[in-house]
Amino acid sequence: MSEPIPPLVSCAVVFLAAVATLLSLARVVLPATTVRRLATPSSHVTPVRPHFRPYPARHAAPLAGEATRSVRPYVVAAEQATRRQELEPAALGLDGPGPYVIHGVEVA
C-alpha cells in the first residue's frame, strides 16, 4: 500500500491549480497592458521624397512690410484691459447708465 498524502500537500496542490486557472482566465478576459511592437520597422511606410514639402508655401514671394500693420502688444493689452473693465458690471448683472454703441449700433 502507498502512503496517504498529507492534507497540507493536497491543499497546496488544489490552491496552485486554482491560481493557474484564474491566471489563464485573466489572460483571456483582460486586455494586454503593453502594445506588442514588431522587431523590425514596418515595410508599408513609404519614405518621404526629399523635394516633397508637407506644408507648401501659400505665397510665392514674402509679404512686404508695408502691406501689413504692426501692432504693439502693450497697446492690445491696454485695449483688452479697458474692455474687460467695461464688461465687468454686465457680467454681474448690473445695467450701466446711458446709451452704448455695440458693433457700431447705438443701444439704449
Side-chain angles (χ1 to χ4, degrees):
M1 254 176 139
S2 64
E3 291 182 26
I5 299 176
L8 183 61
V9 173
S10 64
C11 287
V13 169
V14 170
F15 176 74
L16 289 176
V19 168
T21 305
L22 287 175
L23 284 176
S24 65
L25 285 174
R27 285 188 189 129
V28 171
V29 174
L30 299 176
T33 56
T34 60
V35 176
R36 294 183 184 200
R37 300 189 189 276
L38 298 175
T40 60
S42 61
S43 61
H44 70 275
V45 176
T46 57
V48 177
R49 296 180 305 229
H51 65 279
F52 176 73
R53 294 180 66 180
Y55 301 104
R58 291 192 177 125
H59 305 286
L63 293 175
E66 300 83 27
T68 60
R69 198 176 69 154
S70 59
V71 178
R72 306 283 183 221
Y74 56 86
V75 174
V76 174
E79 290 173 355
Q80 289 176 348
T82 305
R83 182 72 178 145
R84 283 190 197 107
Q85 288 174 353
E86 292 172 355
L87 292 176
E88 277 179 6
L92 298 173
L94 302 175
D95 209 9
Y100 290 98
V101 178
I102 299 177
H103 296 292
V105 179
E106 188 173 329
V107 180

